[in-house]
Amino acid sequence: MMKIFIGLLLLFDYTIAFLPSLRHHQVKATSTMSIVRKFSSFDALIYSYHRGIDTSSSRAVLSSMSADENNIEGGDEWRKILVLGSTGFLGSEIVHQLSTRNIPFVGTSTSGRDGTIQLDLTSTTAQKDIQSIVTTEKCTAVISTVGSINTSNDLIVNSASGKVAARGARDGGARTFVFIGNDLRVRQIGTKVIPFLNNYMEGKEQSERIVRECFGRSDNDDKYSYCIIRPTFIYGGNDFGLNPPRITSSLGSAVEELLGNYAVQSISDELPDLLSLALDPPVSVQAVAAASINAALGLLSKEQVELDSRTSILDAVAVSSLLEREERRRKRRNEEEDGDAGNQEEEEERK
């Protein structure tokens, strides 16, 4: 009860401070990479205490990545990524970020437009087609953004990422598979409250199970890895949508700003799933894309295999920034050591 009371006080304080700025300020829908969000000192204090970088919004985390921090190699080798559904809402953002970060990739779409490889995951040859693409293009990782909602093929399409894509990718030699699932609370509540989502939820669940089977690590073999990302709601772009549901970047960032603060979340943690889900802040398409890429590059830890919350997704985004900072420190130390060694050699030659 004390936690709820403190949360209500904080929420009141945030509301008084936030509403006037929301009424008089319009958020420009530009690239998340170029925006540094002005966040409250309380949010910064909470997160800096735990992680040293602010994740109170998708924009704050993404803006912490400088241009030099984008070009990061994962593991012992450079990876080439296959993006399934690369012309869709999330897929196109992934492709955009891969291009920005100079990471080699191949994209597929059902239509084959925009220079992508034509691929229909519901076709009888899809598994062999993916195997061939992975082998021919030498892809080491696959990101599947394929999905459908409220159609007659929801079960087939949403289960295809596992039944077809994961199996084909494994047979083709891929080592990592990244799948975009949905929040477990959405799955549990949706099947009870919204019956037409049953096939959508079941398809996602089937894919997750097969992805684990094909790419899960074992005690004797850690060559394979997977990451399942489960956002509650993804926002982005300039258009509203009903099927699938979507809100714009400007509105989504404002909602994330409000719901993402500590005051709201302290209350949300004490509520039942349905109410807690309603107060769960959305996450930007840029953040989900960045987390997917970092997972495909092998930048995440062995514990970051299933990202079940917005915070875990933003943590996956921030990891590349933290790794790059450490890499820069290592290079500086090496340069200083090399410089000291060179100076010593010059002194010895003079003597």
Side-chain angles (χ1 to χ4, degrees):
M1 290 299 295
M2 179 60 68
K3 185 177 181 181
I4 294 177
F5 177 72
I6 294 173
L8 287 172
L9 291 177
L10 290 170
L11 179 58
F12 177 76
D13 180 63
Y14 266 86
T15 302
I16 295 299
F18 179 77
L19 287 180
S21 63
L22 180 62
R23 186 168 57 247
H24 296 292
H25 179 66
Q26 292 182 345
V27 181
K28 186 177 180 181
T30 56
S31 171
T32 303
M33 290 289 187
S34 64
I35 297 176
V36 179
R37 186 180 69 87
K38 180 181 179 182
F39 54 92
S40 73
S41 59
F42 187 78
D43 276 333
L45 177 64
I46 292 296
Y47 189 73
S48 61
Y49 176 78
H50 291 291
R51 301 176 182 84
I53 193 170
D54 176 54
T55 61
S56 53
S57 81
S58 306
R59 298 188 176 209
V61 177
L62 286 162
S63 63
S64 71
M65 298 170 60
S66 69
D68 292 336
E69 291 169 344
N70 290 332
N71 302 300
I72 302 170
E73 297 184 5
D76 297 327
E77 62 180 9
W78 185 254
R79 299 194 175 199
K80 188 173 186 178
I81 300 174
L82 172 61
V83 183
L84 304 178
S86 62
T87 58
F89 175 57
L90 175 58
S92 60
E93 177 60 30
I94 291 174
V95 166
H96 170 71
Q97 291 190 26
L98 288 170
S99 299
T100 302
R101 295 169 68 170
N102 298 318
I103 300 170
F105 68 91
V106 179
T108 72
S109 67
T110 54
S111 63
R113 64 186 175 91
D114 298 335
T116 60
I117 299 174
Q118 187 170 9
L119 176 69
D120 182 0
L121 286 186
T122 64
S123 71
T124 56
T125 63
Q127 183 172 331
K128 290 185 178 180
D129 292 339
I130 291 179
Q131 179 182 347
S132 176
I133 295 171
V134 170
T135 303
T136 303
E137 299 289 342
K138 298 180 180 179
C139 298
T140 55
V142 177
I143 302 175
S144 179
T145 69
V146 175
S148 70
I149 186 170
N150 196 25
T151 73
S152 58
N153 291 325
D154 280 358
L155 179 58
I156 297 173
V157 172
N158 290 297
S159 64
S161 288
K163 292 180 177 179
V164 176
R167 288 169 176 165
R170 168 86 183 234
D171 293 340
R175 296 185 178 183
T176 303
F177 197 95
V178 181
F179 175 64
I180 311 301
N182 52 19
D183 189 278
L184 295 178
R185 291 170 300 169
V186 174
R187 194 175 301 172
Q188 294 169 357
I189 296 171
T191 54
K192 298 176 182 178
V193 180
I194 313 174
F196 72 81
L197 291 180
N198 286 348
N199 287 338
Y200 167 77
M201 303 293 184
E202 184 179 348
K204 291 285 189 180
E205 189 172 355
Q206 289 182 14
S207 282
E208 289 185 8
R209 184 173 63 252
I210 298 173
V211 167
R212 294 189 195 97
E213 293 172 357
C214 291
F215 288 90
R217 288 188 174 98
S218 65
D219 295 335
N220 301 323
D221 186 6
D222 62 352
K223 182 172 73 172
Y224 298 101
S225 64
Y226 74 90
C227 182
I228 297 173
I229 303 176
R230 301 192 186 100
T232 52
F233 190 86
I234 305 175
Y235 70 85
N238 299 317
D239 300 318
F240 289 92
L242 295 177
N243 188 23
R246 189 173 302 157
I247 59 176
T248 63
S249 292
S250 56
L251 178 59
S253 62
V255 174
E256 184 185 18
E257 175 99 14
L258 178 60
L259 297 183
N261 67 63
Y262 183 78
V264 175
Q265 290 307 298
S266 65
I267 298 173
S268 175
D269 291 343
E270 302 296 324
L271 297 175
D273 283 346
L274 182 59
L275 295 177
S276 175
L277 184 61
L279 291 178
D280 202 55
V283 62
S284 74
V285 65
Q286 290 92 347
V288 178
S292 301
I293 293 170
N294 287 345
L297 291 176
L299 298 179
L300 307 188
S301 69
K302 293 182 179 180
E303 289 73 30
Q304 291 176 296
V305 292
E306 302 196 10
L307 308 182
D308 293 323
S309 67
R310 168 179 160 277
T311 299
S312 63
I313 293 172
L314 297 184
D315 283 345
V317 176
V319 69
S320 56
S321 179
L322 297 174
L323 287 172
E324 178 61 21
R325 291 173 188 172
E326 181 58 33
E327 178 65 14
R328 286 206 303 270
R329 292 191 191 100
R330 184 186 65 80
K331 288 182 179 179
R332 281 197 296 268
R333 286 196 298 268
N334 291 341
E335 290 172 357
E336 291 172 356
E337 292 173 358
D338 292 341
D340 292 340
N343 292 335
Q344 292 177 358
E345 291 178 359
E346 290 178 1
E347 291 178 2
E348 292 176 357
E349 288 177 358
R350 292 194 196 98
K351 293 179 181 179

